[in-house]
Amino acid sequence: MALRVFVRRFAVLLVFVLALSGCDRDTSLVVVKAVAAGVPSLAPFFDENQGLGRDDARLTTAQAAHGGLQQGDTPGLYGGSKQPATCDVVRLKEFLTDPAHERKAQAWAAALSLATDGIPGYLDRLTPVLLRHDTLVKNHDYKKGKAVPFNALLQSGIAILVDEQGLPAVKCSCGNPLRPFEGDTTGIKVEFDDRNAEWKGYQKSSVVAVRPAPRKVERLALVDVHEPDRGIDRPVGTTGGDDTSFDTRERRAVPDLAGATFGQASRRLAGQGLAVAAEGGGLPPDDARVTASDPRAGTELRFGEYVTLSVAGDGSGGTATTPPGSGTPRPTRDPSDSTPSKPAESAKPTTSSTATPSSPPASTAPPSSPGSSESAGSEPSGPTSRPASTGASSAPPTSDPPPPPTGSPPRTTSAPPTSTPVTSSAPPPATSGPATTEPATGAPSTAGPGASTTA
């Protein structure tokens, strides 16, 4: 009987603990409000009944979405159509520059970190597109004279304006400003409601967030949302009148990207009409080195298909791993963990009798005043202690000798070869002769004997 009571109480306690752990997981997720295509906003900047822009709820994604972070210049990330008038930029500009709407214009500009007088020029650089994937953004409602931010998931088919780096900037139908989503794409909790019910085809794993392209783009490579075999080349800052078409079925070979930086590789792939992805769902820094690609070089793909890159290092010589949804890798090794004295010892020249000014291991630039490099403490051990064993022949303190006519006093490194003394500071720029003339051109005469008798 006692055993049965104990088991029952243990089961109740286990259920309670599991319930608490589930709640903890929910509270750590970022709450995101679902925004369906064609559904008017409850707090818009612009009256949606006036036809500023329109969504395309019939849009069907032409390719399977590659969830996670995407760069703004990714080919095929956005879509278009033969009827490009999805957003009336001229009308939005007139509305925001009208003195009657000055308060809205101030709130609108503040959400995008703009001055109100910079609104017209900013709008002229935006480009209308249609979302091809469910996209995370920071949306803004207009409430009580202010722009109120909230995280939102925009359904594919919604018309937006993007900036020169491919970032969502404005939701066309209501004029609400948009900013990049700042959370982890895998750590979200999407809230659907009666007006924005969960739409057909929604998959949390296919949700994307856009990060800026590594450089300003001149043209956006879009996909016709109604004719996926037709591509649209749209110059940035235009509304569709200057579009040109291309065939998305044309095969494109994956270039050899091994050894390039991630930024270089992504630009080359974009130029080929191919999308870039990285292992783990995130995007490494632009200076990370590419080691391999999947598919490998030479494979032929259709427009907008993804090439997954493997990288080693974060551009500083260490290796890095990228967590899903994060653009900043965590280095697995500290590149600066070596001691300062080792590089100086390994860089000692072996034939210093004919050394030029570039031969000594000058790791620091010449100081602006005599003795300043010695007081910086960049050589904590080795060089300053060895001459002390020679008694009167040791070099005097840096503050005692008078300032040299040119250059700076030489600093001794760790023990030089037994044949010739070596200094770590670079000689004056004007000196180009052998190392034996250094004391006469730049170094104090009192330091010469000490340096020459150390060996």
Side-chain angles (χ1 to χ4, degrees):
M1 184 66 179
L3 179 61
R4 184 180 303 172
V5 173
F6 174 77
V7 172
R8 184 177 302 172
R9 289 180 178 178
F10 179 77
V12 172
L13 179 61
L14 180 61
V15 172
F16 181 71
V17 171
L18 292 176
L20 286 180
S21 62
C23 292
D24 291 340
R25 286 195 299 269
D26 290 341
T27 56
S28 64
L29 299 178
V30 177
V31 177
V32 176
K33 181 180 178 182
V35 178
V39 177
S41 173
L42 293 177
F45 273 78
F46 191 93
D47 186 359
E48 298 194 35
N49 293 326
Q50 297 183 20
L52 176 66
R54 64 178 184 273
D55 302 333
D56 194 335
R58 301 171 301 162
L59 186 150
T60 56
T61 303
Q63 66 178 39
H66 197 290
L69 290 178
Q70 301 289 320
Q71 293 190 147
D73 60 347
T74 300
L77 176 63
Y78 301 120
S81 67
K82 291 182 179 179
Q83 296 81 29
T86 57
C87 194
D88 195 337
V89 181
V90 175
R91 196 169 186 180
L92 179 60
K93 185 191 303 183
E94 294 174 350
F95 176 82
L96 292 174
T97 54
D98 188 341
H101 306 136
E102 182 179 2
R103 191 173 182 181
K104 278 189 175 182
Q106 291 175 348
W108 192 91
L112 295 170
S113 302
L114 297 172
T116 52
D117 58 358
I119 291 177
Y122 178 74
L123 289 173
D124 288 339
R125 298 190 297 270
L126 301 184
T127 310
V129 298
L130 290 168
L131 294 178
R132 296 185 66 227
H133 312 296
D134 297 341
T135 306
L136 290 165
V137 296
K138 179 183 287 186
N139 201 350
H140 295 79
D141 279 338
Y142 183 72
K143 296 180 179 179
K144 298 181 180 180
K146 296 181 179 180
V148 180
F150 65 96
N151 293 317
L153 178 65
L154 305 184
Q155 183 187 7
S156 61
I158 289 180
I160 65 170
L161 293 171
V162 298
D163 66 11
E164 295 171 297
Q165 291 182 287
L167 287 176
V170 181
K171 188 174 183 293
C172 288
S173 63
C174 58
N176 291 5
L178 306 174
R179 298 294 291 168
F181 177 73
E182 298 175 351
D184 187 342
T185 58
T186 62
I188 60 173
K189 180 182 180 182
V190 182
E191 290 186 345
F192 297 92
D193 54 34
D194 295 337
R195 300 176 69 252
N196 299 276
E198 182 172 335
W199 47 80
K200 182 180 179 181
Y202 164 73
Q203 291 183 352
K204 183 179 178 180
S205 59
S206 298
V207 169
V208 305
V210 185
R211 63 172 275 185
R215 58 188 172 89
K216 292 183 179 180
V217 295
E218 297 180 355
R219 312 177 75 86
L220 291 173
L222 314 176
V223 172
D224 192 319
V225 296
H226 303 299
E227 300 178 22
D229 291 340
R230 174 179 176 265
I232 301 173
D233 197 10
R234 179 169 297 172
V236 170
T238 65
T239 58
D242 298 322
D243 288 356
T244 56
S245 302
F246 61 90
D247 190 351
T248 61
R249 297 169 297 182
E250 181 183 350
R251 295 285 174 172
R252 304 142 197 274
V254 177
D256 185 4
L257 303 172
T261 64
F262 184 81
Q264 294 169 342
S266 62
R267 288 192 292 271
R268 288 186 63 185
L269 289 173
Q272 288 284 93
L274 300 175
V276 63
E279 292 180 339
L283 291 178
D286 289 340
D287 58 357
R289 289 290 171 181
V290 176
T291 59
S293 65
D294 183 21
R296 61 185 179 180
T299 306
E300 294 187 347
L301 304 174
R302 285 184 49 153
F303 171 81
E305 290 191 292
Y306 282 86
V307 177
T308 302
L309 301 180
S310 301
V311 299
D314 55 1
S316 58
T319 58
T321 56
T322 306
S326 173
T328 305
R330 295 193 299 268
T332 58
R333 179 178 64 83
D334 186 1
S336 60
D337 58 356
S338 59
T339 59
S341 60
K342 291 182 180 180
E345 293 174 359
S346 61
K348 290 185 299 185
T350 56
T351 57
S352 59
S353 59
T354 58
T356 63
S358 60
S359 299
S363 57
T364 58
S368 58
S369 60
S372 61
S373 61
E374 296 291 341
S375 60
S378 59
E379 304 246 0
S381 63
T384 59
S385 60
R386 294 186 62 87
S389 63
T390 61
S393 63
S394 60
T398 56
S399 59
D400 293 338
T406 58
S408 60
R411 284 189 302 164
T412 58
T413 62
S414 55
T418 57
S419 59
T420 308
V422 181
T423 60
S424 62
S425 59
T431 303
S432 59
T436 57
T437 63
E438 289 180 6
T441 58
S445 59
T446 57
S452 61
T453 58
T454 301

